[in-house]
Protein backbone atom coordinates (compact mmCIF):
# COMPACT_ATOMS: atom_id res chain seq x y z
CA UNK A 1 0.00 0.00 0.00
CA UNK A 2 1.55 3.32 -1.07
CA UNK A 3 1.91 6.01 1.56
CA UNK A 4 0.46 9.39 0.70
CA UNK A 5 3.34 11.80 0.29
CA UNK A 6 1.65 15.17 0.76
CA UNK A 7 -1.26 17.47 0.25
CA UNK A 8 -3.55 17.00 -2.75
CA UNK A 9 -3.21 19.66 -5.42
CA UNK A 10 -6.22 21.91 -5.90
CA UNK A 11 -7.14 25.59 -5.97
CA UNK A 12 -8.09 27.22 -2.68
CA UNK A 13 -11.55 28.74 -2.46
CA UNK A 14 -13.28 30.71 0.27
CA UNK A 15 -16.25 28.34 0.44
CA UNK A 16 -14.28 25.91 2.62
CA UNK A 17 -11.73 27.94 4.50
CA UNK A 18 -11.01 25.35 7.20
CA UNK A 19 -10.16 22.70 4.61
CA UNK A 20 -8.12 25.19 2.59
CA UNK A 21 -6.09 26.12 5.67
CA UNK A 22 -5.35 22.46 6.29
CA UNK A 23 -4.32 21.92 2.66
CA UNK A 24 -2.09 25.00 2.73
CA UNK A 25 -0.41 23.68 5.87
CA UNK A 26 0.21 20.29 4.29
CA UNK A 27 1.62 21.92 1.17
CA UNK A 28 4.09 23.97 3.22
CA UNK A 29 5.08 20.95 5.31
CA UNK A 30 5.98 19.05 2.14
CA UNK A 31 9.14 21.17 1.90
CA UNK A 32 9.46 23.17 5.14
CA UNK A 33 9.37 22.60 8.89
CA UNK A 34 6.54 22.96 11.37
CA UNK A 35 8.47 25.86 12.87
CA UNK A 36 8.09 27.79 9.58
CA UNK A 37 4.30 27.96 9.93
CA UNK A 38 2.34 30.94 11.25
CA UNK A 39 -1.29 32.00 11.27
CA UNK A 40 -0.46 35.07 9.22
CA UNK A 41 1.34 33.04 6.56
CA UNK A 42 -1.46 30.47 6.26
CA UNK A 43 -4.09 33.18 6.01
CA UNK A 44 -2.09 34.86 3.25
CA UNK A 45 -1.71 31.53 1.41
CA UNK A 46 -5.46 30.96 1.41
CA UNK A 47 -6.45 34.56 0.78
CA UNK A 48 -8.23 35.39 4.04
CA UNK A 49 -7.44 37.66 6.96
CA UNK A 50 -5.64 36.31 10.04
CA UNK A 51 -8.80 37.07 12.03
CA UNK A 52 -10.73 34.72 9.73
CA UNK A 53 -8.37 31.88 10.68
CA UNK A 54 -9.75 32.01 14.22
CA UNK A 55 -13.30 31.47 12.94
CA UNK A 56 -12.18 27.92 12.12
CA UNK A 57 -9.36 27.01 14.53
CA UNK A 58 -8.69 28.25 18.04
CA UNK A 59 -4.92 28.27 17.47
CA UNK A 60 -2.29 27.07 15.02
CA UNK A 61 -1.68 24.21 17.46
CA UNK A 62 -5.34 23.18 17.14
CA UNK A 63 -5.00 23.08 13.35
CA UNK A 64 -1.88 20.90 13.63
CA UNK A 65 -3.65 18.55 16.05
CA UNK A 66 -6.49 18.10 13.54
CA UNK A 67 -3.97 17.31 10.81
CA UNK A 68 -2.29 14.84 13.14
CA UNK A 69 -5.66 13.22 13.80
CA UNK A 70 -6.33 12.97 10.05
CA UNK A 71 -2.92 11.33 9.61
CA UNK A 72 -3.59 8.82 12.40
CA UNK A 73 -6.94 7.88 10.83
CA UNK A 74 -5.13 7.26 7.55
CA UNK A 75 -2.44 5.31 9.38
CA UNK A 76 -5.09 3.10 11.02
CA UNK A 77 -6.42 2.28 7.56
CA UNK A 78 -2.90 1.45 6.35
CA UNK A 79 -2.26 -0.81 9.33
CA UNK A 80 -5.60 -2.55 8.77
CA UNK A 81 -4.50 -3.14 5.16
CA UNK A 82 -1.25 -4.72 6.39
CA UNK A 83 -3.29 -6.93 8.72
CA UNK A 84 -5.55 -8.08 5.88
CA UNK A 85 -2.84 -8.75 3.31
CA UNK A 86 0.06 -10.18 5.35
CA UNK A 87 0.38 -13.96 5.02
CA UNK A 88 1.75 -14.42 8.55
CA UNK A 89 1.80 -12.45 11.79
CA UNK A 90 5.60 -12.17 11.52
CA UNK A 91 5.24 -10.59 8.08
CA UNK A 92 2.59 -8.19 9.40
CA UNK A 93 4.79 -7.13 12.33
CA UNK A 94 7.79 -6.64 10.04
CA UNK A 95 5.78 -4.52 7.59
CA UNK A 96 4.24 -2.54 10.43
CA UNK A 97 7.59 -1.72 12.00
CA UNK A 98 9.06 -0.77 8.63
CA UNK A 99 6.08 1.49 7.89
CA UNK A 100 7.28 3.97 10.54
CA UNK A 101 10.45 4.47 8.53
CA UNK A 102 8.45 4.87 5.32
CA UNK A 103 6.20 7.48 6.94
CA UNK A 104 9.14 9.40 8.42
CA UNK A 105 10.88 9.41 5.05
CA UNK A 106 7.82 10.43 3.02
CA UNK A 107 6.31 12.95 5.44
CA UNK A 108 8.94 13.93 8.01
CA UNK A 109 7.06 16.89 9.45
CA UNK A 110 3.81 14.97 9.84
CA UNK A 111 5.79 12.18 11.47
CA UNK A 112 7.10 14.72 14.00
CA UNK A 113 3.56 15.95 14.73
CA UNK A 114 2.30 12.40 15.23
CA UNK A 115 5.22 11.09 17.27
CA UNK A 116 6.41 13.41 19.97
CA UNK A 117 6.81 16.98 18.73
CA UNK A 118 4.04 18.20 21.05
CA UNK A 119 4.19 16.60 24.53
CA UNK A 120 0.57 17.56 25.30
CA UNK A 121 -0.86 16.17 22.05
CA UNK A 122 -2.67 13.27 23.73
CA UNK A 123 -4.81 15.79 25.61
CA UNK A 124 -6.36 16.96 22.33
CA UNK A 125 -9.57 14.90 21.91
CA UNK A 126 -9.44 14.42 18.13
CA UNK A 127 -5.74 13.60 18.13
CA UNK A 128 -6.10 11.21 21.07
CA UNK A 129 -9.07 9.35 19.57
CA UNK A 130 -7.35 8.93 16.21
CA UNK A 131 -4.13 7.80 17.88
CA UNK A 132 -6.12 5.25 19.89
CA UNK A 133 -7.70 3.96 16.67
CA UNK A 134 -4.25 3.40 15.18
CA UNK A 135 -2.99 1.75 18.38
CA UNK A 136 -5.95 -0.60 18.35
CA UNK A 137 -4.97 -1.87 14.91
CA UNK A 138 -1.36 -2.34 16.05
CA UNK A 139 -2.44 -4.34 19.10
CA UNK A 140 -4.58 -6.60 16.93
CA UNK A 141 -1.65 -7.33 14.61
CA UNK A 142 0.64 -8.18 17.53
CA UNK A 143 -1.79 -10.24 19.61
CA UNK A 144 -4.32 -11.40 17.05
CA UNK A 145 -7.26 -9.95 18.95
CA UNK A 146 -8.69 -6.58 19.93
CA UNK A 147 -7.19 -6.06 23.39
CA UNK A 148 -6.87 -2.29 23.19
CA UNK A 149 -9.39 -0.46 25.39
CA UNK A 150 -9.12 3.36 25.21
CA UNK A 151 -11.44 3.67 28.20
CA UNK A 152 -8.95 1.80 30.41
CA UNK A 153 -5.46 2.62 29.21
CA UNK A 154 -3.77 1.45 32.41
CA UNK A 155 -5.04 -2.09 31.83
CA UNK A 156 -4.31 -1.85 28.11
CA UNK A 157 -0.70 -0.86 28.69
CA UNK A 158 -0.27 -3.72 31.14
CA UNK A 159 -1.54 -6.42 28.79
CA UNK A 160 -0.19 -4.95 25.53
CA UNK A 161 3.44 -4.24 26.45
CA UNK A 162 4.87 -5.85 23.32
CA UNK A 163 2.68 -3.67 21.09
CA UNK A 164 3.84 -0.52 22.88
CA UNK A 165 7.42 -1.74 22.56
CA UNK A 166 6.91 -2.22 18.83
CA UNK A 167 5.71 1.38 18.49
CA UNK A 168 8.76 2.59 20.42
CA UNK A 169 11.06 0.51 18.23
CA UNK A 170 9.44 1.55 14.95
CA UNK A 171 9.04 5.24 15.66
CA UNK A 172 12.34 5.66 17.50
CA UNK A 173 14.37 3.83 14.89
CA UNK A 174 12.69 5.76 12.08
CA UNK A 175 13.39 9.08 13.78
CA UNK A 176 17.05 8.33 14.41
CA UNK A 177 17.67 7.10 10.88
CA UNK A 178 15.73 9.77 8.96
CA UNK A 179 17.02 12.66 11.10
CA UNK A 180 20.61 11.49 10.67
CA UNK A 181 21.33 10.45 14.27
CA UNK A 182 22.43 7.18 12.69
CA UNK A 183 24.12 8.47 9.50
CA UNK A 184 23.93 6.83 6.08
CA UNK A 185 25.21 7.87 2.68
CA UNK A 186 22.29 6.35 0.72
CA UNK A 187 18.57 5.89 1.28
CA UNK A 188 18.78 2.24 0.25
CA UNK A 189 21.31 1.64 3.05
CA UNK A 190 18.92 3.27 5.51
CA UNK A 191 16.12 0.95 4.52
CA UNK A 192 18.30 -2.16 4.68
CA UNK A 193 19.47 -1.19 8.15
CA UNK A 194 15.92 -0.62 9.42
CA UNK A 195 14.76 -3.92 7.94
CA UNK A 196 17.65 -5.82 9.53
CA UNK A 197 17.11 -4.23 12.97
CA UNK A 198 13.40 -5.02 12.88
CA UNK A 199 14.07 -8.59 11.80
CA UNK A 200 16.62 -9.07 14.58
CA UNK A 201 13.99 -8.17 17.16
CA UNK A 202 11.39 -10.43 15.55
CA UNK A 203 13.94 -13.24 15.66
CA UNK A 204 14.55 -12.65 19.36
CA UNK A 205 18.26 -11.86 19.08
CA UNK A 206 18.15 -9.62 22.17
CA UNK A 207 16.72 -12.45 24.28
CA UNK A 208 19.45 -14.79 23.03
CA UNK A 209 22.15 -12.29 23.95
CA UNK A 210 20.63 -11.66 27.37
CA UNK A 211 20.61 -15.40 28.06
CA UNK A 212 24.34 -15.78 27.47
Amino acid sequence: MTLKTGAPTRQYHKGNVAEDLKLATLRILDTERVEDLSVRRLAREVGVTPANFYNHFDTLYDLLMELGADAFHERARQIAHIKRTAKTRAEAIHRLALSYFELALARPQMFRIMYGLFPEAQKHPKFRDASDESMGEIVEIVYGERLHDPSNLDATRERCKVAYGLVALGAGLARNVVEGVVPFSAQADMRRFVESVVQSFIDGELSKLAAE
Side-chain angles (χ1 to χ4, degrees):
M1 188 173 187
T2 303
L3 288 170
K4 294 183 177 180
T5 57
T9 302
R10 74 174 179 83
Q11 294 296 316
Y12 301 132
H13 58 84
K14 294 182 181 180
N16 194 352
V17 174
E19 184 66 16
D20 288 345
L21 287 166
K22 290 167 77 172
L23 288 171
T25 304
L26 290 173
R27 185 188 62 75
I28 291 169
L29 292 182
D30 274 347
T31 56
E32 301 181 51
R33 292 172 60 83
V34 172
E35 291 80 2
D36 296 318
L37 294 168
S38 69
V39 169
R40 184 174 297 278
R41 180 179 180 184
L42 290 173
R44 185 171 64 248
E45 289 277 340
V46 173
V48 298
T49 65
N52 191 258
F53 175 97
Y54 296 105
N55 292 332
H56 306 279
F57 300 100
D58 290 341
T59 61
L60 178 58
Y61 173 78
D62 188 51
L63 167 59
L64 293 173
M65 289 298 94
E66 290 209 13
L67 288 174
D70 291 345
F72 266 122
H73 285 308
E74 174 62 23
R75 180 141 179 80
R77 290 189 289 271
Q78 292 168 346
I79 296 169
H81 175 79
I82 290 173
K83 182 177 63 183
R84 289 193 307 271
T85 57
K87 295 178 181 177
T88 65
R89 188 175 300 176
E91 179 193 336
I93 291 171
H94 188 280
R95 287 170 58 187
L96 171 61
L98 184 61
S99 72
Y100 288 95
F101 166 70
E102 293 169 340
L103 175 61
L105 198 62
R107 304 181 69 187
Q109 297 306 304
M110 185 54 65
F111 181 89
R112 293 177 68 212
I113 292 169
M114 295 168 72
Y115 297 106
L117 179 61
F118 299 108
E120 301 293 306
Q122 287 294 328
K123 294 182 179 179
H124 189 280
K126 289 183 179 179
F127 185 97
R128 181 184 62 245
D129 290 348
S131 175
D132 282 341
E133 178 189 2
S134 174
M135 191 65 201
E137 296 293 342
I138 293 168
V139 167
E140 189 167 357
I141 281 182
V142 173
Y143 292 96
E145 53 184 315
R146 300 198 74 84
L147 298 176
H148 186 260
D149 180 4
S151 67
N152 190 350
L153 286 178
D154 287 340
T156 295
R157 284 190 289 265
E158 185 63 27
R159 63 175 174 259
C160 300
K161 294 174 183 175
V162 175
Y164 282 96
L166 180 62
V167 173
L169 168 65
L173 182 60
R175 182 182 300 110
N176 285 340
V177 170
V178 171
E179 293 184 0
V181 177
V182 182
F184 291 92
S185 58
Q187 192 177 114
D189 294 334
M190 294 164 59
R191 184 182 182 91
R192 279 193 294 271
F193 175 75
V194 171
E195 287 182 328
S196 67
V197 171
V198 169
Q199 192 60 49
S200 72
F201 273 83
I202 292 174
D203 293 342
E205 290 185 21
L206 184 60
S207 295
K208 296 173 187 175
L209 291 169
E212 291 180 358

